[in-house]
């Protein structure tokens, strides 16, 4: 997870993704099928984490398999496959050594960023999409004929009647929280750091108060907005607080956010998508400009995540 680019004013900017197609029954090429598509992910990456969560919530584990890259990103080679490391795999589809080769297979002239997650079509040997915000919508709606249970195929995490509200909260959370932690951590000037730190904690304060009388971001219904907030919250105390200097307070010290986080973390399918070893090593070892010694801190103690939460009291 290297820096994308830092502009003259010291602000960090994330570049747009390049492959933006979809899978649907109306698509001339990318038809929904079981076993046809594949996800390339990193358990350290919060954007890949969204896709991992949607995949398990929709019961698509047997429909869309995953290849897991090495959690440490080597700047010279990009993401690589290190099957000898715990929790990492080979490239199960192409047997490549580097993720870059998957991008080049799709487009030999590709010069953009090599990022995870990637939704890959085994039939045409092309990348369908490498934008997590779109991949999760594809997983939410295009594979309903193949979900493990009827309940999972009926579940819609982006229902029509809530779309405007979901989009609104998503863009605030993305700007100031999901990407806000990176803008804080990658700032190259004190001013850029200060601005983004303030926006980040203002938004967390807003969410803290919002969650005092809303069980989930959209009220009673668990939606895509929660799936997009969770990967940042679960990394916050372990990584962003220290590594990105987002240190006004930890999530543990926000009463509502911490209980909300506990509830989501304890949901069985979500719990299996969290790998703290991959998360911590991914940031602390890969980003050696921020952490030159590459020492991975032992703390903090995250035991609170397993304690009882009070979210059932929020109607
Ligand atoms: N817009 C992309 C961003 C994904 C992204 O930035 N992934 C990071 C890991 S957290 C990555 O692969 N970085 C590698 C690089 O920039 O070289 C998405 O949400 O899918």
């Amino acid at each position: 997870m290297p820096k994308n680019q830092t502009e003259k004013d010291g602000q960090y900017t994330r570049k747009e993704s390049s492959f933006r197609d979809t899978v649907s029954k109306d698509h001339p090429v990318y038809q929904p099928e079981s076993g046809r598509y594949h996800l390339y992910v990193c358990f350290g990456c919060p954007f890949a984490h969204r896709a991992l969560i949607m995949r398990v919530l929709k019961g698509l584990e047997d429909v869309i398999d995953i290849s897991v890259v090495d959690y440490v990103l080597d700047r010279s080679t990009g993401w690589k496959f290190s099957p000898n490391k715990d929790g990492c795999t080979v490239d199960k589809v192409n047997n490549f050594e580097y993720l870059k080769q998957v991008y080049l297979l799709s487009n030999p002239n590709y010069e953009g960023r090599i990022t995870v997650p990637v939704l890959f079509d085994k039939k045409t040997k092309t990348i369908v999409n490498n934008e997590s915000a779109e991949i999760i919508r594809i997983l939410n709606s295009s594979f309903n004929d193949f979900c493990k249970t009827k309940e999972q195929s009926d579940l819609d995490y982006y229902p029509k009647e809530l779309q405007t509200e979901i989009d609104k909260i998503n863009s605030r959370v993305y700007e100031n929280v999901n990407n806000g932690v990176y803008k804080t951590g990658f700032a190259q000037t004190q001013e850029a750091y200060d601005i983004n730190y303030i926006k980040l904690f203002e938004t967390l304060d807003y969410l803290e108060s919002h969650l005092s009388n809303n069980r989930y971001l959209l009220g009673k219904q668990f939606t895509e907005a929660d799936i997009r907030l969770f990967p940042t919250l679960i990394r916050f105390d372990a990584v962003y607080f220290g590594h990105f200097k987002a240190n006004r307070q930890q999530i543990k010290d926000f009463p509502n956010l911490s209980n909300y986080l506990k509830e989501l973390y304890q949901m069985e399918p979500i719990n299996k998508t969290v790998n703290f070893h991959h998360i911590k090593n991914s940031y602390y070892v890969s980003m050696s400009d921020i952490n030159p010694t590459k020492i991975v801190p032992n703390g903090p103690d995250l035991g609170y995540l397993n304690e009882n939460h009070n979210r059932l009291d929020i109607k």
Side-chain angles (χ1 to χ4, degrees), residues 120-135:
F120 184 81
D121 174 26
K122 299 196 240 177
K123 207 171 207 170
T124 60
K125 298 194 187 312
T126 52
I127 294 176
V128 179
N129 199 302
N130 72 335
E131 170 49 53
S132 62
E134 293 171 1
I135 294 175

Side-chain angles (χ1 to χ4, degrees), residues 1-2 4 14-15 17 45-47 50 73 79 113-117 130-133 182:
M1 274 168 282
N4 282 340
R14 188 178 293 275
K15 271 198 197 151
S17 303
C45 168
F47 302 102
R50 299 170 168 179
L73 175 58
W79 295 115
R113 291 175 70 208
I114 311 295
T115 57
V116 284
N130 72 335
E131 170 49 53
S132 62
Y182 284 86

Side-chain angles (χ1 to χ4, degrees), residues 137-165:
R137 292 206 177 148
I138 297 171
L139 302 190
N140 178 50
S141 57
S142 299
F143 292 92
N144 286 337
D145 291 345
F146 311 104
C147 300
K148 212 177 296 163
T149 67
K150 160 110 177 56
E151 193 198 349
Q152 286 168 318
S153 61
D154 289 345
L155 276 169
D156 182 0
Y157 295 98
Y158 188 56
K160 264 227 143 38
E161 65 283 5
L162 296 178
Q163 289 181 358
T164 312
E165 276 306 298

